[in-house]
Amino acid sequence: MVAKATKTPRPNCQKAAATSASTSWTQTMWSQARLVVSEGVQAALQAGRAVVALESTIITHGLPRPINFDTAVAVEDQVRAAGAEPATIAVLDGQAHIGLSRSQLERVADSPPERTVKASRGGLAHIMAKGRGWIGGTTVSGTMALAHRAGVRIFATGGIGGVHRGAEHSMDISADLTELGRTPVAVFCSGAKSILDIPRTLEYLETQGVPVLTFHPQGQFPCFYTAKSGCHVPIVSSTEEAARTIELNTTLGLENGLVFGVPIPSEFEQDGVIIQRAVEQAVQESVEQGIDRLGKQVTPWLLKRVSQLAHTSVRSNVGLVLNNARVASECAVELAGPSPSRVAQVYTPKPKVVVVGCAAMDVTAQQSTSAPGSTAPGNVVLSTGGVAHNIALAAHATLQEKKAVALVAPCADDAIGALLRSQMDDKAMRTDGLVSSSKSAVCNLVLDQEGDLLTGVADMACVEDTLTPDIVQQKLSELRPSVVGMDANLTPDTIAAIVRQCASDGVPVLYEPTSVVKCGRGMDALALLPRLHPLDMITPNQFEVRHMAARLQDVLPIHHAISSLQLEQMSRKLQLPQSLIYDALTLSKVTHTQFIKLGELGVLLVSHAEARTSLPNMIHVHARRLDPRKVINTTGAGDTFAGAVLARASTLSQPITSWTMQTMLDLVEKGQHAAQHTLYSSHAVAPHLPSWHT
């Protein structure tokens, strides 16, 4: 939470100062609430790398399914191949998105017509006000307005809108033209759509002070499906010259856009004459049927009719869009450099939760038949995993807030790393906590026909090599979360560094022991500290408790002031083994609260909250009632429990020393509820978890 400072302005400028402050604060809050810049676009803008804006009306209204989705993906791939970052722009659920994930692209492509509208500049506010469930496919003007708001200077599209035929009577002139006159974004297109009056369109742009240039060697302005419109404009000879022109337009402080005409590739030129005849017929039919007086519906109707009359029009449309994206991207790379991005700098809230540890790509291969000593047929599944990743995903799903959870884990610039980032993007998880590494963590499991483990290889050394104490401390300083979680894939040195920094910052930390083999690292970490800092929360299972207690006795000998009679009484009261209680009491010397997971027996809560003696309070919380017929997966329930506990803890404003036993019981309840959802799911973490306030 950020406190807002107030000043008493000078009397002679009080009104102006108040208005300015109010406007600035309102714009900032509006940006944070309504404009969402994807991680990839944001990173590219802040690093001064090339970014190319792409519209979404071509996806929602311009091309038939499934060609629309395939084209959207191909255009983004074309931009990336040229060295730029694609920023497809659309309105989803009341928010303007600058840069879409693959799943968001798919949603836009499959959007229901009754809840999908074309969003020009004038329609942006209204479609955003409709909120959840509505999609706005941004037109050229809408895309330009939002791209400029994010600091993106180059935009690739098929064709711009323009002056419609008969506009001298209908006054039907596209908002694209006035947008070009007031918004400094360079538009790369194959001219105006051929259904329009191109000479009048060029005259209107000239009146608006918009430079119109062409890459055609003879100076012909493109006519969308053909390279020549018969209208001549100044020639730009290369993308380097185009970049210099854009830069000088900015340097001069001119607030207009620019149009760069890119002729359709020659392989589609032969279809152009046939398509143009179809265009003329479609225009005539629109007049005869009164379609030409229906405003926004005219262009989609004409394009659909043209595609019916000339079947190659869709192929040509896709071809020219891909070519325009390539040329625009090459220019963007030439132009690349720091640009003012008001949104990208504003929309980076601090996370409530940070989880440090392993994010891995799980490669699970299950045989369908046995074939000893040979390759067997079967099924191979790729999925994101790793204890820290699963905890972060559970916290993210539980909080149900964008940007509330950050994962600090190694991620290489390789195919595995790209897949990890993509899957996190698809789940709307933030990726700014990922740390560059030489390779990504991979876990390969081979299962037999019944699903039992035959063998496996865990290649996770990159976690220890990458997440050093210095790196992790730097990340925590940057992110400044309310609560921190960590798994035992970290080295004792790094675990100790996290405990020390969190104690200094007053931030509660949760330690997930991960496995019997690795759980003792937390105890080794405590022994490294010059002064003992207890672990605030731990979430071991009963087997990890035994090994952690034994390891603690090795590194920091603990002596109990409890008699065998007391131990027996506690065992009888809790209905749990004396050995488990003894080990929990051992660990209570170096922990504030333990959530010991007992599977079908529930959770043993061991906490110093409200404790009146040196002994902790101990409560056996029984498991929630389960329907065994619904239980599908048990492997991720523990991680889900830890993630839900972290999520709920992040909403508590008091320090952990002020938490009550009722608070601790509430954390257990939230964790068990979330874990139950995962038990009923085939995923490592159920995709839909109950939020902490339900």
Side-chain angles (χ1 to χ4, degrees):
M1 185 174 181
V2 179
K4 185 173 69 172
T6 58
K7 290 183 179 180
T8 303
R10 297 178 197 149
N12 64 345
C13 60
Q14 183 172 1
K15 182 176 180 181
T19 301
S20 175
S22 173
T23 301
S24 175
W25 181 84
T26 302
Q27 288 175 343
T28 298
M29 292 304 294
W30 178 258
S31 296
Q32 292 177 332
R34 296 293 185 178
L35 291 168
V36 181
V37 183
S38 73
E39 300 286 356
V41 172
Q42 185 176 151
L45 287 170
Q46 292 178 344
R49 291 188 284 110
V51 179
V52 175
L54 303 168
E55 61 154 294
S56 51
T57 293
I58 189 174
I59 309 173
T60 57
H61 294 79
L63 292 171
R65 301 175 184 178
I67 296 173
N68 58 344
F69 174 69
D70 293 340
T71 301
V73 172
V75 171
E76 288 204 344
D77 288 344
Q78 185 80 288
V79 172
R80 291 190 181 97
E85 178 70 26
T88 302
I89 295 177
V91 176
L92 302 174
D93 302 320
Q95 292 181 311
H97 287 258
I98 300 164
L100 302 181
S101 68
R102 185 66 62 93
S103 61
Q104 288 173 326
L105 277 178
E106 192 167 6
R107 183 184 170 197
V108 171
D110 292 334
S111 58
E114 67 275 10
R115 297 179 74 85
T116 305
V117 300
K118 295 174 70 174
S120 62
R121 170 191 273 264
L124 287 172
H126 186 215
I127 182 59
M128 291 170 75
K130 285 184 175 292
R132 185 168 296 279
W134 285 84
I135 291 177
T138 53
T139 64
V140 169
S141 68
T143 303
M144 287 182 68
L146 294 173
H148 176 54
R149 185 71 183 86
V152 180
R153 295 195 281 175
I154 290 187
F155 165 32
T157 184
I160 60 172
V163 178
H164 280 256
R165 302 186 189 195
E168 64 271 22
H169 304 295
S170 67
M171 295 299 293
D172 192 352
I173 301 172
S174 171
D176 298 351
L177 303 187
T178 49
E179 193 67 34
L180 280 160
R182 64 186 171 193
T183 303
V185 172
V187 180
F188 287 72
C189 61
S190 292
K193 296 179 177 69
S194 57
I195 56 177
L196 303 172
D197 188 329
I198 293 178
R200 283 191 170 94
T201 296
L202 293 174
E203 287 289 344
Y204 195 97
L205 286 171
E206 183 179 357
T207 301
Q208 291 289 315
V210 178
V212 179
L213 308 166
T214 182
F215 284 93
H216 194 284
Q218 280 79 50
Q220 288 268 4
F221 187 66
C223 187
F224 203 67
Y225 292 116
T226 61
K228 301 177 181 179
S229 65
C231 300
H232 288 78
V233 297
I235 300 170
V236 60
S237 60
S238 64
T239 54
E240 292 88 349
E241 183 180 336
R244 288 196 300 272
T245 304
I246 296 167
E247 189 59 54
L248 286 169
N249 196 73
T250 302
T251 301
L252 291 170
L254 303 178
E255 292 297 315
N256 56 272
L258 302 93
V259 175
F260 291 93
V262 183
I264 189 171
S266 57
E267 61 262 35
F268 302 106
E269 183 75 14
Q270 59 184 351
D271 297 329
V273 175
I274 299 172
I275 298 172
Q276 194 56 40
R277 291 196 195 111
V279 168
E280 300 301 331
Q281 180 179 337
V283 170
Q284 182 60 36
E285 290 177 3
S286 72
V287 174
E288 294 170 354
Q289 298 175 31
I291 303 294
D292 64 321
R293 296 189 294 274
L294 296 182
K296 290 183 178 181
Q297 299 178 38
V298 177
T299 299
W301 186 92
L302 286 171
L303 293 176
K304 181 178 180 180
R305 183 59 179 143
V306 169
S307 68
Q308 293 170 343
L309 296 171
H311 299 301
T312 59
S313 66
V314 172
R315 185 175 74 95
S316 295
N317 199 346
V318 172
L320 66 85
V321 168
L322 289 171
N323 187 55
N324 295 347
R326 177 187 60 80
V327 175
S329 301
E330 291 174 358
C331 182
V333 171
E334 293 288 341
L335 188 64
S339 61
S341 176
R342 288 165 284 180
V343 174
Q345 294 168 4
V346 168
Y347 191 76
T348 314
K350 297 299 179 185
K352 292 182 177 179
V353 178
V354 165
V355 185
V356 187
C358 180
M361 186 58 58
D362 291 338
V363 184
T364 305
Q366 183 171 8
Q367 298 178 349
S368 57
T369 60
S370 178
S374 180
T375 301
N379 186 45
V380 178
V381 177
L382 289 175
S383 60
T384 47
V387 172
H389 169 271
N390 291 345
I391 293 173
L393 178 58
H396 170 76
T398 303
L399 282 170
Q400 297 182 354
E401 294 179 34
K402 289 183 180 293
K403 310 292 183 181
V405 181
L407 172 64
V408 176
C411 181
D413 187 15
D414 55 17
I416 296 296
L419 187 56
L420 172 64
R421 287 179 181 274
S422 175
Q423 293 199 8
M424 289 179 66
D425 281 339
D426 288 344
K427 295 165 186 169
M429 295 177 70
R430 61 191 294 166
T431 58
D432 57 333
L434 296 178
V435 179
S436 179
S437 60
S438 59
K439 64 188 304 185
S440 300
V442 180
C443 183
N444 178 213
L445 303 176
V446 181
L447 312 179
D448 63 16
Q449 299 97 300
E450 286 73 39
D452 294 325
L453 181 67
L454 289 175
T455 186
V457 176
D459 184 1
M460 298 185 180
C462 61
V463 179
E464 297 182 20
D465 295 340
T466 304
L467 298 183
T468 62
D470 289 344
I471 291 294
V472 172
Q473 286 178 313
Q474 179 183 348
K475 279 291 184 182
L476 292 178
S477 298
E478 292 172 359
L479 296 170
R480 289 181 293 155
S482 302
V483 64
V484 171
M486 58 181 171
D487 69 21
N489 288 296
L490 304 169
T491 65
D493 283 336
T494 299
I495 294 172
I498 294 172
V499 172
R500 184 169 53 247
Q501 180 158 339
C502 288
S504 174
D505 295 341
V507 174
V509 61
L510 181 149
Y511 174 64
E512 166 47 52
T514 303
S515 70
V516 168
V517 174
K518 297 179 179 179
C519 63
R521 293 182 177 186
M523 305 300 100
D524 293 338
L526 296 181
L528 295 174
L529 296 171
R531 184 168 64 88
L532 180 63
H533 293 290
L535 291 169
D536 295 311
M537 296 175 281
I538 62 173
T539 53
N541 61 34
Q542 55 191 319
F543 306 107
E544 292 161 350
V545 166
R546 183 189 314 155
H547 284 78
M548 290 171 68
R551 184 60 184 162
L552 179 60
Q553 291 285 19
D554 290 339
V555 297
L556 292 171
I558 299 295
H559 301 287
H560 285 298
I562 185 170
S563 68
S564 58
L565 178 60
Q566 286 178 298
L567 192 62
E568 183 180 349
Q569 291 173 340
M570 296 173 72
S571 173
R572 191 179 306 117
K573 180 180 178 181
L574 296 170
Q575 297 182 322
L576 292 171
Q578 291 186 35
S579 60
L580 174 63
I581 296 170
Y582 185 86
D583 290 336
L585 289 172
T586 299
L587 292 178
S588 71
K589 300 294 184 179
V590 295
T591 61
H592 181 278
T593 299
Q594 304 169 57
F595 303 97
I596 303 175
K597 299 169 290 189
L598 304 175
E600 61 184 12
L601 295 180
V603 172
L604 175 58
L605 172 62
V606 184
S607 179
H608 288 286
E610 299 183 297
R612 297 179 180 178
T613 68
S614 60
L615 292 177
N617 291 311
M618 303 181 77
I619 299 177
H620 182 188
V621 184
H622 293 280
R624 295 171 66 91
R625 183 172 297 176
L626 296 175
D627 183 347
R629 296 169 299 178
K630 294 183 179 179
V631 175
I632 299 174
N633 166 43
T634 61
T635 58
D639 295 343
T640 303
F641 178 93
V645 168
L646 274 175
R648 180 67 178 101
S650 74
T651 67
L652 303 173
S653 57
Q654 307 94 340
I656 190 171
T657 51
S658 299
W659 296 359
T660 65
M661 281 302 291
Q662 185 55 51
T663 302
M664 299 305 178
L665 287 169
D666 179 53
L667 293 176
V668 173
E669 195 279 330
K670 300 306 179 189
Q672 288 184 317
H673 195 187
Q676 181 181 26
H677 280 251
T678 289
L679 288 170
Y680 290 167
S681 169
S682 60
H683 297 81
V685 175
H688 302 290
L689 296 178
S691 63
W692 67 264
H693 48 76
T694 58

